[in-house]
Amino acid sequence: GCFVYNITNDSVICACTHLTTFSVSKDEIIPNAKILSVLEFREATAGNLMRYPVVWSLYLATVVLFAVVCWINPRGNKIQSRSILAYEDIIYRSVQEEKLWKDVAGKEIKFLTDYMPNQDLLGQGIRKIAVDSRAKKSLCFLHYKLWIVYMRNDHTLLSVFQRTAGTNLSVKQRLGGFFMYLCTVMVASAAFYGQLQSTYVQDVLASFFTSLFATTPVFILRKIFEKSKPKEVKSNYEKKKSAAGGSYHSALQGASDAQKTAAVGNETVLPDTRKSTAGT
């Protein structure tokens, strides 16, 4: 074996009772990164930019392309990015039927209602819910349906063209986050570009730091957008009723009490739970 023979302020001497040759590894695990000096910053001139136009011209073309997509706004005439809780008219059943099932929350409710097996056993674990092959198949189909919905809304580019309503993320915010991701990837990759890494560990850590630096700011910005309070949409139900005109009210004036109740009952008003729901 080995034992400590002597310790000084700057060294440790070990003594061994066997003849095996050994040494302490000096391999570094921190990847080598490139740090720009003041002289290199001064090289960012108009002449050098015109001499090497690939990077900035590619990003300029990307900005133009994203601006065109934002102007077209795919699916903008079909869905709204605001959550259904932002609409004052959501207390009316007709508005719920119109907007809820296009919303991501409405799709979750629908799939959980249609495909969740043994709903009376919820909260007791998957083992008890998936008691037989039919329940397991239904549970797998539920996960597949939810995965499709989340992929449509969370994928950076697919969500621009396939997103559902109620995500609280607009096309401009999605494309802005993707452009931010491209910029941070470029900066992080440039920090390790041309730097020779002596070990596999350094290569792995360089890739990890690049991914971490590129995704973290975009993830934080996306969550800020998602959690921000949407602008409340004022009720236009009363305006529609008044626009329907005096014919509706004059018809009610000459009607019996039972007919009035039936006419008003066509529009069911549900309790306004938006504030309590938003708080949870």
Side-chain angles (χ1 to χ4, degrees):
C2 299
F3 60 92
V4 178
Y5 181 77
N6 189 21
I7 299 178
T8 63
N9 291 333
D10 56 1
S11 64
V12 176
I13 300 176
C14 298
C16 301
T17 58
H18 56 81
L19 302 179
T20 303
T21 302
F22 70 95
S23 64
V24 178
S25 175
K26 295 183 180 180
D27 292 337
E28 296 182 359
I29 62 173
I30 303 300
N32 299 320
K34 183 179 180 60
I35 301 176
L36 294 179
S37 62
V38 177
L39 182 61
E40 290 172 321
F41 271 111
R42 291 176 180 174
E43 292 179 355
T45 60
N48 286 333
L49 290 175
M50 297 304 298
R51 192 175 295 111
Y52 307 102
V54 176
V55 175
W56 66 263
S57 59
L58 180 62
Y59 273 83
L60 181 61
T62 304
V63 171
V64 173
L65 177 62
F66 285 1
V68 172
V69 175
C70 289
W71 178 71
I72 297 174
N73 192 10
R75 293 178 61 83
N77 58 340
K78 297 180 180 179
I79 61 172
Q80 294 287 335
S81 60
R82 291 189 185 94
S83 172
I84 57 173
L85 299 178
Y87 293 87
E88 287 187 349
D89 286 343
I90 200 60
I91 60 175
Y92 301 111
R93 185 176 295 277
S94 61
V95 179
Q96 290 185 2
E97 293 294 334
E98 176 188 354
K99 297 185 179 297
L100 179 61
W101 308 120
K102 297 179 182 179
D103 192 273
V104 59
K107 291 185 179 296
E108 290 174 338
I109 294 172
K110 184 178 184 302
F111 293 149
L112 288 171
T113 304
D114 293 345
Y115 301 111
M116 175 62 73
N118 302 317
Q119 297 183 13
D120 56 318
L121 299 177
L122 285 176
Q124 300 184 25
I126 295 181
R127 279 190 173 183
K128 290 195 174 183
I129 293 176
V131 293
D132 52 22
S133 59
R134 183 178 179 181
K136 292 177 182 177
K137 183 178 179 180
S138 181
L139 200 60
C140 291
F141 200 68
L142 169 64
H143 281 83
Y144 170 73
K145 284 289 189 179
L146 291 176
W147 178 79
I148 292 294
V149 173
Y150 297 148
M151 178 61 69
R152 289 176 59 184
N153 290 302
D154 294 340
H155 191 275
T156 305
L157 292 181
L158 185 63
S159 61
V160 175
F161 306 96
Q162 294 294 326
R163 69 193 184 280
T164 60
T167 58
N168 212 25
L169 276 174
S170 64
V171 172
K172 296 178 182 179
Q173 292 169 340
R174 293 176 186 275
L175 291 179
F178 182 56
F179 186 77
M180 181 180 179
Y181 174 76
L182 293 178
C183 295
T184 51
V185 164
M186 181 188 69
V187 173
S189 300
F192 300 104
Y193 178 77
Q195 300 299 306
L196 216 50
Q197 311 298 341
S198 57
T199 64
Y200 291 111
V201 177
Q202 286 182 312
D203 280 333
V204 172
L205 286 179
S207 300
F208 172 75
F209 289 148
T210 301
S211 301
L212 184 66
F213 182 76
T215 56
T216 301
V218 180
F219 177 79
I220 295 174
L221 185 65
R222 183 186 180 96
K223 290 302 177 184
I224 291 175
F225 286 146
E226 289 179 351
K227 301 298 182 182
S228 61
K229 183 179 179 180
K231 184 178 180 181
E232 194 171 84
V233 181
K234 298 299 182 181
S235 175
N236 60 355
Y237 180 72
E238 293 298 331
K239 294 180 181 178
K240 288 182 179 179
K241 286 178 62 177
S242 59
S247 59
Y248 176 80
H249 295 286
S250 60
L252 284 181
Q253 288 176 0
S256 63
D257 293 339
Q259 290 174 331
K260 291 180 181 180
T261 305
V264 177
N266 290 332
E267 186 60 69
T268 306
V269 180
L270 300 180
D272 189 354
T273 58
R274 291 177 299 150
K275 294 183 179 180
S276 60
T277 307
T280 56

Short mmCIF file of all heavy atoms in Angstrom, two decimals, residues 32-59:
data_model
loop_
_atom_site.label_atom_id
_atom_site.label_comp_id
_atom_site.label_asym_id
_atom_site.label_seq_id
_atom_site.Cartn_x
_atom_site.Cartn_y
_atom_site.Cartn_z
N ASN A 32 -11.60 24.48 -23.16
CA ASN A 32 -10.92 25.71 -23.53
C ASN A 32 -11.88 26.61 -24.30
O ASN A 32 -12.54 26.18 -25.24
CB ASN A 32 -9.70 25.40 -24.40
CG ASN A 32 -8.68 24.54 -23.67
OD1 ASN A 32 -8.43 24.74 -22.48
ND2 ASN A 32 -8.09 23.58 -24.36
N ALA A 33 -11.97 27.85 -23.88
CA ALA A 33 -12.87 28.80 -24.52
C ALA A 33 -12.07 29.98 -25.05
O ALA A 33 -11.00 30.32 -24.54
CB ALA A 33 -13.93 29.29 -23.53
N LYS A 34 -12.62 30.60 -26.09
CA LYS A 34 -11.97 31.75 -26.72
C LYS A 34 -12.53 33.03 -26.12
O LYS A 34 -13.75 33.23 -26.11
CB LYS A 34 -12.20 31.73 -28.22
CG LYS A 34 -11.51 32.85 -28.97
CD LYS A 34 -11.77 32.74 -30.46
CE LYS A 34 -11.07 33.87 -31.22
NZ LYS A 34 -9.61 33.87 -31.04
N ILE A 35 -11.66 33.86 -25.59
CA ILE A 35 -12.06 35.14 -25.01
C ILE A 35 -11.55 36.25 -25.91
O ILE A 35 -10.36 36.33 -26.22
CB ILE A 35 -11.50 35.30 -23.58
CG1 ILE A 35 -12.01 34.16 -22.69
CG2 ILE A 35 -11.88 36.66 -23.00
CD1 ILE A 35 -11.44 34.18 -21.29
N LEU A 36 -12.46 37.10 -26.37
CA LEU A 36 -12.09 38.17 -27.28
C LEU A 36 -11.31 39.26 -26.55
O LEU A 36 -11.65 39.67 -25.44
CB LEU A 36 -13.35 38.78 -27.91
CG LEU A 36 -14.15 37.87 -28.84
CD1 LEU A 36 -15.37 38.61 -29.35
CD2 LEU A 36 -13.31 37.37 -29.99
N SER A 37 -10.25 39.69 -27.19
CA SER A 37 -9.44 40.78 -26.64
C SER A 37 -9.92 42.11 -27.21
O SER A 37 -10.76 42.17 -28.12
CB SER A 37 -7.96 40.56 -26.98
OG SER A 37 -7.79 40.55 -28.39
N VAL A 38 -9.37 43.19 -26.69
CA VAL A 38 -9.74 44.52 -27.17
C VAL A 38 -9.35 44.69 -28.63
O VAL A 38 -10.09 45.28 -29.44
CB VAL A 38 -9.08 45.60 -26.29
CG1 VAL A 38 -9.40 47.00 -26.82
CG2 VAL A 38 -9.51 45.47 -24.85
N LEU A 39 -8.21 44.13 -29.01
CA LEU A 39 -7.75 44.23 -30.40
C LEU A 39 -8.71 43.52 -31.35
O LEU A 39 -9.00 44.01 -32.45
CB LEU A 39 -6.34 43.64 -30.52
CG LEU A 39 -5.70 43.71 -31.91
CD1 LEU A 39 -5.55 45.17 -32.34
CD2 LEU A 39 -4.34 43.00 -31.90
N GLU A 40 -9.23 42.37 -30.94
CA GLU A 40 -10.17 41.63 -31.79
C GLU A 40 -11.51 42.36 -31.91
O GLU A 40 -12.16 42.29 -32.96
CB GLU A 40 -10.38 40.22 -31.23
CG GLU A 40 -9.14 39.34 -31.38
CD GLU A 40 -9.28 38.01 -30.66
OE1 GLU A 40 -9.85 38.02 -29.54
OE2 GLU A 40 -8.82 36.99 -31.17
N PHE A 41 -11.92 43.05 -30.86
CA PHE A 41 -13.14 43.85 -30.95
C PHE A 41 -12.97 44.98 -31.97
O PHE A 41 -13.92 45.33 -32.68
CB PHE A 41 -13.50 44.43 -29.58
CG PHE A 41 -14.38 43.55 -28.75
CD1 PHE A 41 -13.90 42.95 -27.61
CD2 PHE A 41 -15.69 43.32 -29.13
CE1 PHE A 41 -14.71 42.12 -26.84
CE2 PHE A 41 -16.52 42.51 -28.37
CZ PHE A 41 -16.03 41.90 -27.22
N ARG A 42 -11.77 45.54 -32.05
CA ARG A 42 -11.54 46.63 -32.99
C ARG A 42 -11.54 46.15 -34.44
O ARG A 42 -11.65 46.98 -35.36
CB ARG A 42 -10.20 47.29 -32.67
CG ARG A 42 -10.20 48.05 -31.34
CD ARG A 42 -8.83 48.61 -31.02
NE ARG A 42 -8.84 49.34 -29.75
CZ ARG A 42 -7.75 49.84 -29.17
NH1 ARG A 42 -6.55 49.68 -29.77
NH2 ARG A 42 -7.84 50.50 -28.02
N GLU A 43 -11.44 44.85 -34.65
CA GLU A 43 -11.46 44.32 -36.01
C GLU A 43 -12.87 44.23 -36.58
O GLU A 43 -13.04 43.91 -37.76
CB GLU A 43 -10.80 42.94 -36.03
CG GLU A 43 -9.31 42.97 -35.76
CD GLU A 43 -8.68 41.58 -35.77
OE1 GLU A 43 -9.46 40.60 -35.90
OE2 GLU A 43 -7.45 41.48 -35.66
N ALA A 44 -13.88 44.50 -35.76
CA ALA A 44 -15.26 44.48 -36.24
C ALA A 44 -15.57 45.80 -36.95
O ALA A 44 -16.29 46.67 -36.44
CB ALA A 44 -16.23 44.25 -35.09
N THR A 45 -15.01 45.97 -38.13
CA THR A 45 -15.18 47.18 -38.91
C THR A 45 -16.10 46.92 -40.10
O THR A 45 -16.41 45.77 -40.43
CB THR A 45 -13.82 47.70 -39.41
OG1 THR A 45 -13.22 46.69 -40.24
CG2 THR A 45 -12.90 48.00 -38.24
N ALA A 46 -16.53 48.00 -40.74
CA ALA A 46 -17.39 47.85 -41.91
C ALA A 46 -16.68 47.13 -43.04
O ALA A 46 -17.28 46.33 -43.78
CB ALA A 46 -17.87 49.23 -42.38
N GLY A 47 -15.37 47.37 -43.17
CA GLY A 47 -14.62 46.69 -44.22
C GLY A 47 -14.57 45.19 -44.01
O GLY A 47 -14.75 44.41 -44.95
N ASN A 48 -14.34 44.76 -42.76
CA ASN A 48 -14.31 43.32 -42.47
C ASN A 48 -15.69 42.69 -42.62
O ASN A 48 -15.81 41.53 -43.03
CB ASN A 48 -13.76 43.08 -41.07
CG ASN A 48 -12.27 43.30 -40.97
OD1 ASN A 48 -11.55 43.13 -41.97
ND2 ASN A 48 -11.78 43.68 -39.80
N LEU A 49 -16.74 43.45 -42.26
CA LEU A 49 -18.08 42.92 -42.43
C LEU A 49 -18.42 42.72 -43.91
O LEU A 49 -19.08 41.73 -44.28
CB LEU A 49 -19.11 43.87 -41.79
CG LEU A 49 -19.11 43.92 -40.25
CD1 LEU A 49 -20.09 44.98 -39.76
CD2 LEU A 49 -19.44 42.57 -39.66
N MET A 50 -17.98 43.62 -44.77
CA MET A 50 -18.20 43.45 -46.20
C MET A 50 -17.32 42.36 -46.78
O MET A 50 -17.69 41.70 -47.76
CB MET A 50 -17.94 44.78 -46.93
CG MET A 50 -18.90 45.90 -46.53
SD MET A 50 -20.64 45.46 -46.75
CE MET A 50 -20.69 45.21 -48.52
N ARG A 51 -16.16 42.13 -46.18
CA ARG A 51 -15.26 41.08 -46.67
C ARG A 51 -15.76 39.70 -46.27
O ARG A 51 -15.55 38.72 -47.00
CB ARG A 51 -13.85 41.32 -46.11
CG ARG A 51 -12.77 40.47 -46.77
CD ARG A 51 -11.39 40.83 -46.27
NE ARG A 51 -11.02 42.20 -46.65
CZ ARG A 51 -10.89 43.19 -45.80
NH1 ARG A 51 -11.10 43.01 -44.51
NH2 ARG A 51 -10.55 44.40 -46.22
N TYR A 52 -16.44 39.61 -45.13
CA TYR A 52 -16.99 38.32 -44.65
C TYR A 52 -18.49 38.50 -44.38
O TYR A 52 -18.93 38.65 -43.23
CB TYR A 52 -16.27 37.87 -43.38
CG TYR A 52 -14.77 37.82 -43.52
CD1 TYR A 52 -13.97 38.84 -42.99
CD2 TYR A 52 -14.15 36.77 -44.18
CE1 TYR A 52 -12.60 38.80 -43.12
CE2 TYR A 52 -12.78 36.72 -44.31
CZ TYR A 52 -12.00 37.74 -43.79
OH TYR A 52 -10.64 37.69 -43.91
N PRO A 53 -19.32 38.47 -45.42
CA PRO A 53 -20.73 38.83 -45.26
C PRO A 53 -21.65 37.65 -44.93
O PRO A 53 -22.86 37.85 -44.83
CB PRO A 53 -21.09 39.40 -46.63
CG PRO A 53 -20.25 38.59 -47.58
CD PRO A 53 -18.98 38.25 -46.84
N VAL A 54 -21.13 36.44 -44.79
CA VAL A 54 -21.99 35.26 -44.69
C VAL A 54 -22.88 35.32 -43.46
O VAL A 54 -24.11 35.15 -43.54
CB VAL A 54 -21.14 33.97 -44.67
CG1 VAL A 54 -22.04 32.75 -44.47
CG2 VAL A 54 -20.35 33.85 -45.97
N VAL A 55 -22.30 35.58 -42.29
CA VAL A 55 -23.06 35.51 -41.03
C VAL A 55 -24.12 36.59 -40.96
O VAL A 55 -25.31 36.32 -40.75
CB VAL A 55 -22.11 35.59 -39.82
CG1 VAL A 55 -22.91 35.62 -38.52
CG2 VAL A 55 -21.16 34.40 -39.81
N TRP A 56 -23.72 37.86 -41.14
CA TRP A 56 -24.70 38.94 -40.96
C TRP A 56 -25.74 38.94 -42.06
O TRP A 56 -26.90 39.29 -41.81
CB TRP A 56 -23.99 40.29 -40.86
CG TRP A 56 -23.28 40.76 -42.10
CD1 TRP A 56 -21.96 40.62 -42.39
CD2 TRP A 56 -23.87 41.47 -43.21
NE1 TRP A 56 -21.67 41.18 -43.61
CE2 TRP A 56 -22.82 41.71 -44.13
CE3 TRP A 56 -25.14 41.91 -43.51
CZ2 TRP A 56 -23.02 42.38 -45.34
CZ3 TRP A 56 -25.35 42.58 -44.71
CH2 TRP A 56 -24.31 42.80 -45.61
N SER A 57 -25.38 38.54 -43.29
CA SER A 57 -26.37 38.49 -44.35
C SER A 57 -27.38 37.37 -44.11
O SER A 57 -28.58 37.51 -44.41
CB SER A 57 -25.70 38.30 -45.71
OG SER A 57 -24.93 37.11 -45.73
N LEU A 58 -26.91 36.24 -43.54
CA LEU A 58 -27.82 35.14 -43.21
C LEU A 58 -28.81 35.56 -42.13
O LEU A 58 -30.02 35.27 -42.22
CB LEU A 58 -27.01 33.93 -42.76
CG LEU A 58 -27.82 32.68 -42.37
CD1 LEU A 58 -28.62 32.16 -43.56
CD2 LEU A 58 -26.90 31.58 -41.83
N TYR A 59 -28.33 36.28 -41.13
CA TYR A 59 -29.23 36.74 -40.07
C TYR A 59 -30.18 37.82 -40.57
O TYR A 59 -31.34 37.88 -40.14
CB TYR A 59 -28.42 37.25 -38.87
CG TYR A 59 -28.06 36.15 -37.92
CD1 TYR A 59 -26.96 35.33 -38.16
CD2 TYR A 59 -28.82 35.90 -36.79
CE1 TYR A 59 -26.63 34.31 -37.30
CE2 TYR A 59 -28.50 34.88 -35.91
CZ TYR A 59 -27.41 34.08 -36.18
OH TYR A 59 -27.09 33.06 -35.32
#
